[in-house]
Amino acid sequence: MKFFKFLMLFAFVFFISCGDDKDRKPGIETAKEEEAEVIEKLASAELIAKKFPGVLNSVGTIDLQHANLLDSIYSKRDYTPIWTERALREDLYRSIERATEDGLEPKDYHLSYLKNSLTNLSELDDEERSLTEIILTDAFFALASDYNSGKLNPAEIYDIWGVESNKIDLPGLLDYGVRQKNILAAIDSVVPKHEVYKGLKRSLKEYRKLARNQEDPTFVSEEGESIKADEKDERIPNIKQRLKELGYWQQEIVDSAITYEKPLQEAVKKFQEKYGIETDGVIGGGTIKTLNKTYQERLEQILVNLERWRWYPKNLGDQHIVVNIANYRLHFVRNGDTVATHRTMVGTEARKTPVFSEEIEHIVYNPTWTIPPTIKRKDVIPSAAKDPDYISKKNYSIFDRSGNRLSTSEVNWSSSEVKGYTFRQEAGPANPLGLVKIIYPNKYMIYLHDTPSKSLFNKNLRAQSSGCVRVQDVLDLAKMLLSDQPEYDEEKIKEILDSGKTTTIKITQKVKVHHLYWTAWNENGSTHFAEDVYKRDAAIYKLLSAN
């Protein structure tokens, strides 16, 4: 029941935005209205039933994507045809054509076959019409499924993936579209509605045009040292030319002017900021590689990020925190409005922050730090084995499996038992969690927290943690999470912090935290890109192209 309420909501929105049926342009079957023969029922139940003993992974010469589901749905309805009305077929064809606006390939949904069949229905025999009936259904299932949860399965791509695939009742969705006589509304109901996705669609349109019109871009040699302020380098003219092509340099370019002067430094900084590079004005290898990226490569990056957003939850929640791992930003959203944005630090390439979603449970002020298994195994135990004073220097406490505190003299560092011990760093100025941590229990042992190393937030590239997310001004974020509990006002929180005692407060608001990863987005009408810190974009694009 909830499923159909969900669909009805989107159907209402769709009708408001798209207007009446009479406003639609002629469809594939009625493009030449004066020549069109009105054909409704494509095939009889008997003809469709005859097809299914042979329907495995293909029908005729067409490979099917949902053969098992087709067999199931048609057998349950005694093989009665579905696409008995021309308007339904034309709705589906329009949806397939429009898939390109979302970065999907219409050819993946039998476009060529359907174009030929639907424009020549009057000339098809019963056999061909029954094939068209089945292929229309497969096309609907494939298109709706790809919109709903993506073409690729991220759980098969990544060792660590913590977001459940978006569920969909494909037969129920088709039944809804047929009953409502609006396949467009049915398809639209499963298209992602998040603002980032909508913005990426606008960027896709823009970059398709840029890529189509781009002439051979100027290439800047990646050989040589980084170029710093006022240094001379033979690559300077080419750098100016490339920046001019990208809209960051408007002045005259003289080949003999090879000094890295102030105006060019400012142009480089603007370019670096736009593309998520360290905004230091130094023209290093990363900046040059980014300069050399073509519009086609940026277009591919946008396509990858559209696919990512089809993997992510359809509903992030009325109140939620979303962490964009790649852009080192956290956004606190209430009822569709971003009420706070914070800089973050995330996991290194070796210790990536995972993609997942969980609900906040509690906040801990003056937290202790229980060392995660990976850090314990790779860092703490080897360091303690080499340096007898390591544990005391770090203000660590050691506990055996029974919870008994151990002194360093009681620990046999070469024993396998030490791997089962708990290492905890007590609250204090050296504690890497700082003054507060925000907990949303998860199997990855990831959380949001403060840090004593606040100067690191001034850097553009901030993949420097061991997986958890450090948040700038996290005390302000914690205050917002406690805003519905007036007893925890500023005076009370100050009292807790000044005490130095570890204090846990349960969250009574419903707030989910989503750790997501995207490297392109549209903000205020401008497309922005982040460095692909975990080197994932190229692999995803390759898989999308192969599919």
Side-chain angles (χ1 to χ4, degrees), residues 241-298:
Q241 182 60 41
R242 184 63 182 133
L243 286 170
K244 185 172 186 177
E245 293 166 1
L246 296 170
Y248 292 87
W249 185 257
Q250 284 77 40
Q251 299 181 33
E252 183 183 359
I253 300 171
V254 180
D255 289 345
S256 59
I258 61 171
T259 302
Y260 186 26
E261 296 177 331
K262 187 72 172 177
L264 183 57
Q265 294 166 30
E266 294 304 315
V268 168
K269 286 179 181 178
K270 288 180 181 178
F271 173 80
Q272 290 173 328
E273 184 177 10
K274 171 75 176 281
Y275 288 94
I277 309 168
E278 189 73 37
T279 313
D280 54 9
V282 175
I283 307 175
T287 297
I288 292 176
K289 284 181 180 178
T290 305
L291 278 169
N292 284 332
K293 279 188 178 292
T294 63
Y295 285 133
Q296 176 61 33
E297 289 174 296
R298 292 303 184 189

Side-chain angles (χ1 to χ4, degrees), residues 288-476:
I288 292 176
K289 284 181 180 178
T290 305
L291 278 169
N292 284 332
K293 279 188 178 292
T294 63
Y295 285 133
Q296 176 61 33
E297 289 174 296
R298 292 303 184 189
L299 172 60
E300 293 169 5
Q301 195 172 355
I302 291 167
L303 291 169
V304 164
N305 282 280
L306 281 164
E307 172 71 3
R308 282 195 176 107
W309 276 97
R310 292 188 281 266
W311 299 341
Y312 296 154
K314 284 286 190 293
N315 183 5
L316 300 179
D318 292 338
Q319 187 168 228
H320 64 268
I321 290 170
V322 60
V323 177
N324 182 3
I325 298 167
N327 193 39
Y328 317 113
R329 292 290 191 282
L330 174 155
H331 306 281
F332 189 15
V333 180
R334 281 179 172 160
N335 299 317
D337 292 327
T338 300
V339 295
T341 297
H342 298 255
R343 287 186 164 219
T344 63
M345 283 182 261
V346 301
T348 62
E349 169 68 20
R351 297 178 182 176
K352 300 178 181 68
T353 297
V355 172
F356 72 100
S357 300
E358 285 294 348
E359 189 170 332
I360 296 179
E361 183 180 275
H362 60 272
I363 293 174
V364 181
Y365 289 99
N366 298 317
T368 60
W369 182 42
T370 299
I371 315 302
T374 301
I375 299 176
K376 177 175 68 175
R377 185 179 70 253
K378 292 186 175 181
D379 299 337
V380 175
I381 294 174
S383 298
K386 294 177 183 177
D387 181 1
D389 297 324
Y390 177 81
I391 297 297
S392 60
K393 288 176 184 175
K394 291 288 188 178
N395 195 25
Y396 288 166
S397 296
I398 309 171
F399 301 88
D400 64 17
R401 292 180 182 273
S402 299
N404 301 310
R405 187 188 293 267
L406 305 175
S407 66
T408 53
S409 61
E410 296 177 275
V411 177
N412 179 359
W413 296 104
S414 61
S415 168
S416 60
E417 289 184 4
V418 73
K419 295 178 182 178
Y421 293 167
T422 297
F423 291 79
R424 188 179 76 197
Q425 187 172 34
E426 302 303 327
N431 190 299
L433 303 187
L435 296 175
V436 65
K437 65 178 179 179
I438 299 170
I439 302 298
Y440 33 103
N442 57 84
K443 61 184 177 182
Y444 310 111
M445 300 179 70
I446 298 295
Y447 42 84
L448 308 176
H449 67 89
D450 188 20
T451 176
S453 305
K454 292 179 171 44
S455 62
L456 295 177
F457 287 115
N458 296 325
K459 291 182 170 292
N460 277 36
L461 305 181
R462 299 190 295 276
Q464 301 187 30
S465 81
S466 297
C468 286
V469 179
R470 306 174 196 172
V471 183
Q472 189 177 40
D473 300 324
V474 69
L475 286 171
D476 293 339

Side-chain angles (χ1 to χ4, degrees), residues 2-15 176 179-180 189:
K2 288 182 179 178
F3 173 75
F4 285 106
K5 285 181 179 178
F6 169 82
L7 288 176
M8 289 299 289
L9 173 63
F10 279 113
F12 176 77
V13 173
F14 184 86
F15 285 124
Y176 163 79
R179 286 190 298 105
Q180 295 296 318
S189 72

Side-chain angles (χ1 to χ4, degrees), residues 30-37:
T30 55
K32 297 179 180 179
E33 188 67 44
E34 69 280 2
E35 300 177 15
E37 178 182 336

Side-chain angles (χ1 to χ4, degrees), residues 33 39 49 53 61 68 105 115 119 177 193 209 215 223 251 277 314 357 373 400-401 410 412 444 524:
E33 188 67 44
I39 294 175
T61 59
N68 292 335
E105 287 289 345
K115 182 177 182 179
T119 52
K193 300 298 186 293
K209 184 176 181 180
E215 299 177 358
E223 296 182 4
Q251 299 181 33
I277 309 168
K314 284 286 190 293
S357 300
D400 64 17
R401 292 180 182 273
E410 296 177 275
N412 179 359
Y444 310 111
N524 298 322

